[in-house]
Amino acid sequence: MKSYSLSLLLLLASTLCMAQTVRTKTIDGGGTGMFKAVAVKDTAMADFVIYHPRDMAHAHARCGDLPLLMWANGGCMDSSAGYERMLTEIASHGYVVMAIGEMEDSVDSRKQNHTESSELKRGLDWMLRQNRTKGSDYYMNIDTTRIAAAGHSCGGAQVLYNAADRRLTTCIIMNAGMGDMEMAGASRSSLPLLHTPTLYVTGGESDVAYQNAGKDYMRIAHVPVAWADHPASGHGGTYRQQYGGDYARLVTDWLDWQLKGQTDRAETFLGGKAKGYDGWKIQAKNFVDFKNIKPLWITNGDRQIYGELYTPQGDVRGTVIVSHGFNGTHHFGRNYFETLGRLGYRCYVFDFPCGSVNSRSDNNTLNMSILDEQSDLRAIVNHFRGSGEIVLIGESQGGLVSALTAAQMRNDISKLVLVFPALCIPDNWREHYPRLQDIPDTTRLWGVRLGRRFFEEIHDMKPLSMIGKYRGPVLIVQGDKDTVVSMKDSERAVQLYKDARLHVIPGAGHGFKPAELKEEMQQLEEFLK
């Protein structure tokens, strides 16, 4: 057996400990936030720079899991050196920032290269794996339910290219906009893919992106969107000013609001005149008053259900409970806040435990279960019982769960709304797995892993023989180009209910574009009136 000197063993141990992080860089003294931040080059992902609090354990102890910001550079280039002052400043306020491109000693110290828009996804995939990997600097430090994507100029287009990624909680498009052009694989057709509150930042009419950003802002009608314009900054913004200048403060305010729930920051964007932002013009639309939204956890046995309750001002008629579809989250239900608030309803949106890889309740989709989701929805109905009428809205798989629950709790549910309801789920999977012994331990559907139990429980389920027990008013909304859910099931359901009507949206598929969503809301408003 070989023998090694103590000094050699200590050297080997030191080398192993340094294997993950090989280089750090401090910018602007680490920023002005509570946590001094550093820029890090990691050997396992050397073509990215990670900006984070120097003492991650301290930051985690003070703030819990840290939100994540994915950053794409101007020109779609592989260097964040021109943005490191802003990104360091953001990180110092308790964020982890992951930026495309290998670390540079200084701005323009090496040749820069073009990057693909898919780099944002690759970086995000890696960071989420690190969050699950023992021994990683990021192990159990990242909040996987609070993720933002931001980019400058061509980098903003790269963000829009990834707009459909359901892991994102918000998007920030800086000195960028699609208008009628195409860039980095994105175009105006990317706008309907946005599913989160979105911020545009421009530098006045001298900014080459100003007109396109304005067109985007005008066209976005299905998600909350704000546009902050600073005429003095131009296309180059304030990125290279100390601490990133006004742009860093503005982005941090947005992230504190959208990712940390600090509703006082909302006034920066919704108040019409933002304090401390002299010379800026900030406008917003499609927002409800977020001061009226409160987190609300509801217990169902040993299951904890995360949700948000929106309560409008004035008299409240009752509660609308919105159930998301397969691999969805409570964010989808926010589309209903404005319409329901105008009608005098409070609205509860929530994450089914195990119902999504992004669920704040529980993201282990191997335990997803239709029967568990029914149980969770019953617990939510019971929570609001006695506080006015209760209306259920369910989309896709959430439509199946809502229809089954309404049949079980028919005396508690005033009205039922089913949006492209997936009443066909049991039939479809029975065809796929005709016998129980055909069901594997794990099935992957649209990138989501499901356990055997999901399919066993619905194998003999026949929703169309059950849902008609509900005798109250029903509205079903579906598109005639839906390739996921059969229109025939919705047509049969209308005949089974005592008081139901089906509204068909021409050309709509499984998920509505802005104009189609507006049509749905018009039907909903008429139905609830």
Side-chain angles (χ1 to χ4, degrees):
M1 179 178 178
K2 293 183 178 179
S3 60
Y4 296 93
S5 68
L6 179 60
S7 59
L8 180 57
L9 289 173
L10 290 173
L11 178 62
L12 287 170
S14 175
T15 302
L16 288 173
C17 289
M18 293 295 292
Q20 186 174 14
T21 301
V22 296
R23 184 181 171 194
T24 63
K25 180 180 178 182
T26 302
I27 300 101
D28 284 344
T32 67
M34 184 184 299
F35 313 103
K36 295 304 179 183
V38 292
V40 176
K41 175 182 176 180
D42 194 304
T43 52
M45 203 66 164
D47 48 356
F48 281 76
V49 178
I50 304 169
Y51 302 80
H52 64 69
R54 184 192 308 275
D55 189 339
M56 288 281 282
H58 174 59
H60 189 270
R62 292 292 300 271
C63 302
D65 293 348
L66 303 180
L68 175 65
L69 170 64
M70 300 300 302
W71 175 260
N73 308 297
C76 293
M77 293 300 178
D78 65 343
S79 173
S80 62
Y83 310 95
E84 61 187 14
R85 305 188 85 167
M86 181 182 78
L87 301 181
T88 296
E89 177 64 18
I90 293 170
S92 76
H93 290 270
Y95 292 90
V96 174
V97 183
M98 190 169 187
I100 295 173
E102 189 173 352
M103 184 181 289
E104 283 197 75
D105 293 327
S106 59
V107 177
D108 300 326
S109 64
R110 61 167 171 79
K111 181 179 181 297
Q112 296 184 13
N113 301 292
H114 184 83
T115 63
E116 296 298 323
S117 296
S118 57
E119 284 294 277
L120 273 180
K121 179 181 182 300
R122 185 170 72 90
L124 176 55
D125 290 344
W126 181 85
M127 180 58 77
L128 296 187
R129 286 196 301 271
Q130 293 299 300
N131 190 58
R132 301 189 300 267
T133 303
K134 290 183 178 181
S136 165
D137 290 343
Y138 311 101
Y139 176 63
M140 301 299 288
N141 277 321
I142 306 298
D143 189 333
T144 60
T145 68
R146 297 185 292 170
I147 301 172
H152 173 234
S153 194
C154 184
Q158 290 184 311
V159 171
L160 287 171
Y161 173 87
N162 291 279
D165 193 323
R166 295 298 175 181
R167 296 172 295 183
L168 299 180
T169 308
T170 186
C171 293
I172 307 173
I173 316 300
M174 308 189 70
N175 307 103
M178 301 319 302
D180 298 313
M181 65 179 287
E182 296 185 12
M183 179 186 290
S187 67
R188 64 179 293 181
S189 63
S190 304
L191 301 182
L193 302 178
L194 288 165
H195 59 93
T196 68
T198 300
L199 172 65
Y200 278 77
V201 182
T202 53
E205 294 187 15
S206 65
D207 185 342
V208 294
Y210 179 84
Q211 297 297 334
N212 284 343
K215 290 180 179 179
D216 286 8
Y217 179 79
M218 178 185 66
R219 289 167 176 164
I220 295 172
H222 65 297
V223 295
V225 58
W227 180 15
D229 184 57
H230 185 228
S233 60
H235 190 64
T238 67
Y239 305 105
R240 300 193 186 194
Q241 294 180 15
Q242 188 177 32
Y243 308 125
D246 272 3
Y247 277 39
R249 289 197 303 116
L250 185 84
V251 170
T252 303
D253 277 354
W254 179 266
L255 295 176
D256 284 349
W257 177 26
Q258 297 298 323
L259 300 188
K260 293 185 177 180
Q262 297 180 15
T263 54
D264 59 311
R265 299 292 195 270
E267 295 179 2
T268 300
F269 306 94
L270 304 182
K273 190 174 182 180
K275 294 180 180 179
Y277 289 95
D278 295 337
W280 284 80
K281 178 183 177 183
I282 302 177
Q283 54 190 310
K285 64 179 186 177
N286 306 334
F287 285 90
V288 295
D289 188 347
F290 274 73
K291 291 181 180 179
N292 295 333
I293 300 175
K294 304 295 183 184
L296 175 62
W297 290 86
I298 293 177
T299 300
N300 180 25
D302 60 353
R303 295 162 68 82
Q304 298 296 317
I305 305 166
Y306 173 80
E308 294 179 351
L309 180 64
Y310 168 67
T311 304
Q313 295 181 348
D315 295 336
V316 175
R317 295 172 58 184
T319 305
V320 178
I321 303 168
V322 183
S323 297
H324 64 74
F326 177 82
N327 201 33
T329 65
H330 67 279
H331 291 95
F332 290 84
R334 287 179 171 178
N335 290 329
Y336 294 94
F337 285 171
E338 184 176 0
T339 298
L340 294 174
R342 190 167 59 248
L343 294 173
Y345 287 95
R346 70 172 66 86
C347 182
Y348 185 67
V349 298
F350 65 99
D351 293 353
F352 278 117
C354 308
S356 166
V357 295
N358 299 311
S359 171
R360 291 188 67 173
S361 303
D362 187 332
N363 61 10
N364 183 4
T365 58
L366 286 172
N367 290 330
M368 188 187 298
S369 160
I370 297 293
L371 298 187
D372 280 352
E373 293 189 1
Q374 286 180 251
S375 175
D376 293 331
L377 186 52
R378 288 197 302 271
I380 295 169
V381 171
N382 287 331
H383 179 89
F384 290 105
R385 180 186 281 148
S387 58
E389 60 181 279
I390 295 178
V391 179
L392 299 186
I393 297 178
E395 297 186 346
S396 193
Q397 181 169 299
L400 169 63
V401 174
S402 296
L404 294 171
T405 304
Q408 292 175 323
M409 308 185 75
R410 48 190 173 275
N411 295 326
D412 298 301
I413 307 304
S414 301
K415 293 181 179 180
L416 174 65
V417 181
L418 305 177
V419 184
F420 37 82
L423 304 173
C424 57
I425 287 177
D427 287 344
N428 288 353
W429 286 108
R430 196 158 41 243
E431 291 180 9
H432 198 76
Y433 300 132
R435 302 172 303 168
L436 289 175
Q437 55 264 42
D438 296 328
I439 303 173
D441 290 337
T442 304
T443 297
R444 186 174 290 273
L445 174 62
W446 297 333
V448 178
R449 294 193 305 158
L450 301 175
R452 178 183 177 86
R453 177 187 166 207
F454 180 91
F455 307 99
E456 286 182 332
E457 291 179 342
I458 63 173
H459 191 266
D460 296 323
M461 182 184 290
K462 300 185 185 303
L464 291 174
S465 68
M466 304 162 67
I467 62 175
K469 294 178 182 178
Y470 176 71
R471 309 306 284 167
V474 180
L475 170 66
I476 303 176
V477 184
Q478 189 170 354
D480 62 3
K481 301 300 182 184
D482 193 330
T483 59
V484 176
V485 171
S486 170
M487 180 69 73
K488 291 181 179 179
D489 284 341
S490 292
E491 292 170 345
R492 289 181 61 194
V494 169
Q495 301 302 316
L496 294 170
Y497 285 119
K498 179 182 177 181
D499 177 13
R501 66 183 179 87
L502 170 63
H503 180 79
V504 179
I505 300 180
H510 197 70
F512 295 153
K513 297 176 181 178
E516 298 159 354
L517 183 62
K518 183 178 180 180
E519 184 172 342
E520 179 204 341
M521 293 303 162
Q522 290 171 342
Q523 292 298 315
L524 176 63
E525 187 166 358
E526 180 182 331
F527 176 70
L528 293 181
K529 279 183 177 178

